[in-house]
Amino acid sequence: MNKILTTIILIAFSISLTNGQTLKQFKKKAQEAFENKNYYTALTHYYTIADVDSSNMDIMYNFAEAARNYNAYTTAERSYQQVSNSERNTDFPLTNYWLAGVKKNLGKYSEAKTLYTKYLNSNQGATSEFVSIAQKEIENLDWAQSVVDAPSPGVVIEHLGAEINTPHSEVSPLKYNDELYYSSFQFVNEDDETYPNRPIAKILFSTENNASMEAEGNINSETQHTAHAAFNEEGSRLYYTICDYVNKESTEIYCQLYYKDKAADGTWGSAMKLPDHINASGFTSTQPNIGKDKKTGKETLYYVSNRTGGQGGSDIWSSSINEDGSFGNPIAMTEINTSEEDISPFYHAESNTLYFSSNGRKGLGGLDVYKIEKSGNSWDEISHLGSPINTSYNDLDYTLNGDESEGYLASNRAGSFFLEDAKEACCNDIYKLTLEPQLFDMQALTFNKANNEKLNGVSIELLELEEVLQTDLHADDNEYGFKVKKNKEFLIKASKPGFAPAEVLVSTDNIDTEEIISKLYLEPYKMDLLAKTFDSETKTPLSGVTIKLIECNQLDGDTKVNNEANDFRYGVDPEKCYKLLVTKPGYVPKTVEIKTDPLTGNITIEENIYLDKVPPVTRLTLEGYLPMPLYFDNDEPDKRSRKTITQKTYPETHTAYMARKDEFKTKYAEGLPNELKTESEYEIEQFFNDKIAPAQVGLTSFTDHLLRYLQQGNVAEIIIKGYTSPRAESKYNDKLAKRRISSIRNHFASYQGGIFKTYIAQGFLKVTEAPYGELKAAPGVSDDLRDEKNSIYSVPASLERRVEIIELK
């Protein structure tokens, strides 16, 4: 393995020096240790040598190299600086380059930038890899300083102390089932022939506030490294790494991946080595992690290897785990890997995000933690986790819990335990992260499913796993706001009287927006109105009836005629008030009010309507009907219109006018003392009963007689004159009178399905209009617009709003 992975698992071990050893022997042993990447032993020897011969720049340079490779940054800084300041600095052209890197590791970005510039100036025209890196580092150092100067808010990092950490390296923290698993390099192999004994790692676990213990299931070895515990989601399989030293002298290690399955009784089975296409012969395979895609349910093994086919150094690889437990061919993660070290993968299933560490990207120094989110089968852009999660030291083995409120990492940052305080070197410790949850705005909008209109007054519940988090009711709008965490699933429930409840499931996994908007459509309960008409005297079903359904205080509505039967069906809103305007020739019109209540389900209500026959008409000739006054409501038909025609018929306006009788009584009597109030109400009652109500009956009877007259082969001309009250100016009143006459024309044109149309077209029936009669309004009728009581609701004013059939030729 390369130097970074070696350093991660390297445990310091002492070396005893005998009095008989010469300086030459120290140099030889130091060189041998360095070549075997046993940087601690090399560093220990160089400390002894430097005490004797610190003026030798060859020794000081090698001293600095050993210290740098062992992460003894302060010692490396001091030694490189001594070489750089010496007269022989040109003999060591990379001194300023390496010193700049050490300065960066110590967070001294400004000094590092100066040293990289100095290195480049002294190597002008060079095209080496070091020059390219130095140029890139100069660009990155200002960025690194800006990241450190603006740490991410809401991140608290805690060193776990001596209960977990030792002067040796602790790595690979993983919280599983409330137990913290990690690997510690505090152990030694007593049978190791190397002196001093080289360290080995074991997997430990610790429950909160308890001392650490070795992992159960005979996982750990007494002679080999056992490290990097990883569980599948179900906890039925444990993956880990077993490693050996490459040879007797080296501290380099060679690792392979293993797993154990949990038996039915809860014990772990035998160790199973992963197949050869995962554990490539001659290469290291280490740091396993299992990721499960929440959408597909498929598992993937992520691990680290220096096998061929990668980008160089240690790379991250993935292998799909099939349903039968077999492993797919490993794939190098080209989206992540660099030519340097890319290690410690951790897949966060709740967010479909892979976290990893690398020293091959723009970072703060050493290994930094990065993340990359998965979208379907592809990966998004890589993001740096910023400060304080990352430092100028090595930061690796980042893990998170499901809702991202707690995490762990390993780091040799300032504050970690040193193997030897004087050397300020080595080792990684475990740190706990408490993360303030990132809250997102979630908005719920409520609508009526029947018409897609906004629905106010809805009660909203926000739940997480059936736990009610918030309840809200807005009487005046349909917008509900919440603050929610990421990587969660929420249920929004909406309810309102008269509507079927609605709910929507909202996931905050992998969200890339600051606001989540959910729309809930509540379907109104259906209320069906079944109206049936009967003759009030015989109680028999009455067909040929016309019914107009209107909302209370409205004029327009749904008109239906049933010539075959006596039933009428309507769909109505349970929260509205309705009126049925019921008419049939020969019967007294009737208005029926339908009151509804909020529903708890779909229902049908029935309304039986009984009509009274019109008393016998004594006039037997057509002329006997005339003159025939037909009265209108104020500014009807078609209020505030300047048209001279209308689509309405007189019976339509008449029915709506009759429905306002109570309103006229109230308005006309308003403000009067009790004795006058009763008199005024009676006056209006008599007017409606004696003038308005008979008008429709008389018109229907006259129309029936006229039809029979025409059917006998006769010809007729009707002369109609319109009148208005004097409230409006003459030009407007002229058009209003014409609209009223138009409604009489419409009556004849639409009567009995248009039976008069043929007579009109052939000239047998002619309707002639006389000039309107506003100028002849009775004296004393108010024209004061502000005096609605007398200009609209009074009997004198009402008598003026009419059309008269004045003559029949």
Side-chain angles (χ1 to χ4, degrees):
M1 291 184 66
N2 55 60
K3 64 182 181 183
I4 293 294
L5 286 179
T6 301
T7 303
I8 290 172
I9 59 90
L10 185 63
I11 292 298
F13 42 113
S14 339
I15 185 164
S16 173
L17 304 177
T18 64
N19 294 330
Q21 290 178 309
T22 65
L23 187 61
K24 184 176 180 180
Q25 289 175 316
F26 280 127
K27 291 180 180 179
K28 180 180 179 182
K29 286 185 176 295
Q31 184 63 27
E32 289 175 352
F34 190 91
E35 290 174 357
N36 284 314
K37 298 184 180 181
N38 188 342
Y39 299 118
Y40 177 75
T41 300
L43 183 60
T44 301
H45 286 314
Y46 280 124
Y47 265 114
T48 302
I49 296 168
D51 286 340
V52 176
D53 190 8
S54 61
S55 62
N56 187 324
M57 290 302 104
D58 294 287
I59 292 175
M60 295 310 297
Y61 186 81
N62 290 339
F63 190 12
E65 289 283 272
R68 175 176 61 84
N69 281 280
Y70 191 59
N71 296 341
Y73 301 130
T74 302
T75 299
E77 178 189 32
R78 186 170 56 247
S79 301
Y80 279 128
Q81 192 67 62
Q82 186 174 345
V83 175
S84 179
N85 295 338
S86 73
E87 295 179 354
R88 291 189 57 203
N89 57 57
T90 56
D91 294 339
F92 307 95
L94 288 177
T95 299
N96 287 328
Y97 175 88
W98 293 124
L99 180 56
V102 170
K103 293 283 190 182
K104 181 181 179 182
N105 287 130
L106 291 169
K108 299 177 180 180
Y109 298 129
S110 179
E111 295 179 36
K113 186 175 180 180
T114 299
L115 286 164
Y116 277 126
T117 303
K118 188 176 180 180
Y119 165 75
L120 291 175
N121 290 337
S122 64
N123 289 272
Q124 291 184 2
T127 57
S128 69
E129 178 185 357
F130 297 107
V131 170
S132 176
I133 294 174
Q135 291 170 337
K136 187 180 297 183
E137 285 293 333
I138 288 174
E139 296 176 5
N140 294 344
L141 284 167
D142 288 339
W143 168 85
Q145 187 64 60
S146 69
V147 172
V148 172
D149 291 341
S152 302
V155 181
V156 178
I157 300 181
E158 171 193 0
H159 183 264
L160 287 187
E163 294 81 6
I164 300 294
N165 294 309
T166 70
H168 306 271
S169 273
E170 276 73 40
V171 294
S172 300
L174 177 68
K175 192 74 170 286
Y176 183 78
N177 284 347
D178 295 326
E179 295 175 339
L180 179 63
Y181 287 81
Y182 63 100
S183 305
S184 177
F185 292 85
Q186 61 181 285
F187 306 95
V188 294
N189 175 10
E190 301 294 345
D191 297 329
D192 188 5
E193 296 179 0
T194 302
Y195 184 83
N197 297 136
R198 288 171 296 185
I200 60 170
K202 291 186 179 182
I203 297 175
L204 307 180
F205 76 93
S206 173
T207 56
E208 192 170 356
N209 300 321
N210 288 321
S212 298
M213 298 172 285
E214 286 196 32
E216 300 173 350
N218 294 321
I219 294 173
N220 290 316
S221 169
E222 297 300 323
T223 60
Q224 296 172 300
H225 296 285
T226 312
H228 310 302
F231 295 87
N232 64 354
E233 186 180 61
E234 294 75 18
S236 60
R237 178 172 287 186
L238 167 65
Y239 293 83
Y240 57 100
T241 302
I242 295 179
C243 308
D244 273 321
Y245 287 108
V246 173
N247 56 50
K248 291 182 179 181
E249 299 299 329
S250 175
T251 56
E252 257 198 303
I253 58 173
Y254 167 80
C255 303
Q256 299 281 269
L257 299 178
Y258 288 77
Y259 69 84
K260 284 192 174 192
D261 286 328
K262 184 174 285 188
D265 61 359
T267 60
W268 292 107
S270 302
M272 304 293 293
K273 185 178 178 182
L274 269 67
D276 291 343
H277 67 280
I278 302 295
N279 286 313
S281 178
F283 299 98
T284 277
S285 297
T286 187
Q287 298 180 9
N289 180 258
I290 303 300
K292 185 172 184 179
D293 190 300
K294 290 180 66 177
K295 294 182 179 179
T296 65
K298 293 183 178 179
E299 287 186 336
T300 300
L301 167 67
Y302 298 96
Y303 69 103
V304 173
S305 178
N306 59 354
R307 64 192 296 162
T308 56
Q311 299 297 312
S314 294
D315 291 315
I316 296 176
W317 295 72
S318 69
S319 169
S320 60
I321 302 176
N322 302 316
E323 291 185 5
D324 61 1
S326 61
F327 298 89
N329 290 325
I331 299 172
M333 300 197 66
T334 56
E335 305 87 351
I336 293 175
N337 296 325
T338 67
S339 60
E340 301 299 321
E341 299 301 302
D342 304 287
I343 62 172
S344 64
F346 170 75
Y347 188 84
H348 187 252
E350 288 77 6
S351 62
N352 284 332
T353 301
L354 184 69
Y355 293 87
F356 64 96
S357 289
S358 175
N359 63 358
R361 299 181 175 277
K362 183 165 68 173
L364 304 186
L367 291 161
D368 276 15
V369 184
Y370 300 83
K371 71 175 182 179
I372 183 170
E373 295 183 8
K374 189 177 184 182
S375 298
N377 294 322
S378 62
W379 296 90
D380 296 334
E381 297 295 321
I382 292 174
S383 300
H384 184 268
L385 262 60
S387 170
I389 290 175
N390 287 312
T391 66
S392 61
Y393 294 81
N394 288 320
D395 304 293
L396 61 153
D397 293 334
Y398 184 82
T399 62
L400 278 177
N401 64 351
D403 64 3
E404 301 183 38
S405 62
E406 181 181 289
Y408 294 87
L409 61 75
S411 177
N412 66 334
R413 66 184 60 194
S416 300
F417 293 149
F418 295 130
L419 193 60
E420 294 182 39
D421 290 341
K423 297 176 183 176
E424 296 184 12
C426 198
C427 285
N428 295 298
D429 281 357
I430 305 297
Y431 289 80
K432 179 180 179 180
L433 288 74
T434 302
L435 306 172
E436 184 177 311
Q438 185 178 2
L439 297 180
F440 293 84
D441 290 322
M442 180 162 63
Q443 191 175 34
L445 307 178
T446 53
F447 299 89
N448 186 329
K449 189 175 182 179
N451 53 23
N452 290 336
E453 293 181 356
K454 295 179 180 180
L455 188 62
N456 301 340
V458 176
S459 179
I460 289 286
E461 280 187 331
L462 177 68
L463 302 93
E464 181 185 348
L465 299 178
E466 297 302 322
E467 178 185 354
V468 179
L469 300 179
Q470 190 172 340
T471 302
D472 210 352
L473 173 64
H474 292 187
D476 301 322
D477 62 54
N478 74 320
E479 300 179 4
Y480 302 79
F482 307 99
K483 292 286 188 180
V484 295
K485 298 178 182 178
K486 67 183 299 187
N487 303 325
K488 293 282 188 180
E489 284 194 344
F490 298 94
L491 185 65
I492 304 176
K493 291 185 176 182
S495 61
K496 178 180 173 67
F499 291 80
E503 60 183 44
V504 61
L505 190 65
V506 183
S507 173
T508 56
D509 289 352
N510 269 349
I511 55 177
D512 56 1
T513 178
E514 293 184 355
E515 185 177 41
I516 309 143
I517 298 177
S518 298
K519 295 182 179 181
L520 293 96
Y521 292 85
L522 284 74
E523 186 168 5
Y525 286 127
K526 292 181 180 178
M527 174 183 279
D528 291 330
L529 170 63
L530 173 59
K532 294 182 178 181
T533 53
F534 300 88
D535 185 294
S536 63
E537 183 178 352
T538 64
K539 305 298 187 288
T540 57
L542 191 61
S543 59
V545 176
T546 299
I547 292 185
K548 183 176 183 179
L549 176 73
I550 64 172
E551 292 184 26
C552 295
N553 301 321
Q554 299 292 325
L555 294 177
D556 293 328
D558 183 10
T559 301
K560 293 183 179 181
V561 180
N562 192 341
N563 291 315
E564 305 298 330
N566 74 322
D567 60 311
F568 299 78
R569 295 182 180 274
Y570 298 91
V572 294
D573 187 333
E575 291 194 329
K576 292 182 178 179
C577 171
Y578 295 93
K579 289 182 179 179
L580 295 174
L581 309 181
V582 188
T583 59
K584 177 178 168 63
Y587 286 82
V588 177
K590 193 168 188 177
T591 300
V592 179
E593 185 170 325
I594 306 296
K595 293 185 178 180
T596 61
D597 295 311
L599 304 179
T600 57
N602 298 323
I603 66 168
T604 299
I605 58 174
E606 294 188 12
E607 185 72 33
N608 293 329
I609 303 169
Y610 295 87
L611 297 181
D612 298 323
K613 287 183 178 178
V614 176
V617 179
T618 57
R619 291 172 291 184
L620 300 178
T621 64
L622 286 170
E623 290 81 357
Y625 287 95
L626 308 180
M628 180 182 292
L630 303 170
Y631 296 96
F632 290 82
D633 197 351
N634 180 61
D635 201 17
E636 291 290 348
D638 306 335
K639 288 181 182 295
R640 293 179 292 280
S641 173
R642 293 191 176 271
K643 294 182 179 180
T644 57
I645 61 172
T646 181
Q647 299 299 317
K648 295 179 180 177
T649 65
Y650 175 73
E652 289 179 305
T653 68
H654 178 271
T655 302
Y657 192 13
M658 285 294 298
R660 294 187 68 196
K661 179 171 70 173
D662 290 341
E663 182 183 349
F664 268 71
K665 289 166 66 175
T666 300
K667 294 288 187 180
Y668 190 55
E670 197 172 67
L672 296 176
N674 288 338
E675 61 275 8
L676 294 179
K677 184 176 182 181
T678 302
E679 183 178 331
S680 297
E681 289 176 345
Y682 179 75
E683 183 181 350
I684 297 298
E685 180 77 28
Q686 289 299 106
F687 171 70
F688 270 81
N689 291 344
D690 295 344
K691 297 292 186 182
I692 299 179
Q696 170 62 27
V697 177
L699 178 62
T700 301
S701 182
F702 171 78
T703 307
D704 286 338
H705 283 157
L706 179 61
L707 177 61
R708 289 195 295 271
Y709 178 76
L710 296 174
Q711 288 172 337
Q712 294 169 4
N714 298 307
V715 177
E717 180 182 2
I718 301 171
I719 301 175
I720 301 175
K721 189 170 187 176
Y723 294 82
T724 63
S725 66
R727 268 177 59 86
E729 46 91 17
S730 295
K731 288 184 179 180
Y732 183 86
N733 281 343
D734 183 30
K735 294 177 181 179
L736 175 57
K738 290 181 182 295
R739 291 202 303 276
R740 287 173 176 168
I741 292 172
S742 175
S743 73
I744 306 300
R745 294 179 185 274
N746 293 341
H747 161 71
F748 287 112
S750 63
Y751 193 74
Q752 290 191 15
I755 197 170
F756 283 104
K757 288 181 178 179
T758 302
Y759 296 104
I760 294 172
Q762 294 176 354
F764 291 104
L765 176 61
K766 192 175 182 181
V767 180
T768 303
E769 178 182 340
Y772 88 96
E774 183 265 337
L775 295 177
K776 296 182 179 181
V781 176
S782 175
D783 61 358
D784 188 347
L785 297 178
R786 296 169 297 179
D787 183 17
E788 291 187 352
K789 176 179 178 179
N790 289 305
S791 65
I792 294 179
Y793 298 104
S794 70
V795 172
S798 298
L799 286 169
E800 296 302 317
R801 299 191 297 266
R802 70 189 188 277
V803 167
E804 285 188 3
I805 303 177
I806 59 175
E807 188 177 353
L808 179 70
K809 292 182 180 180

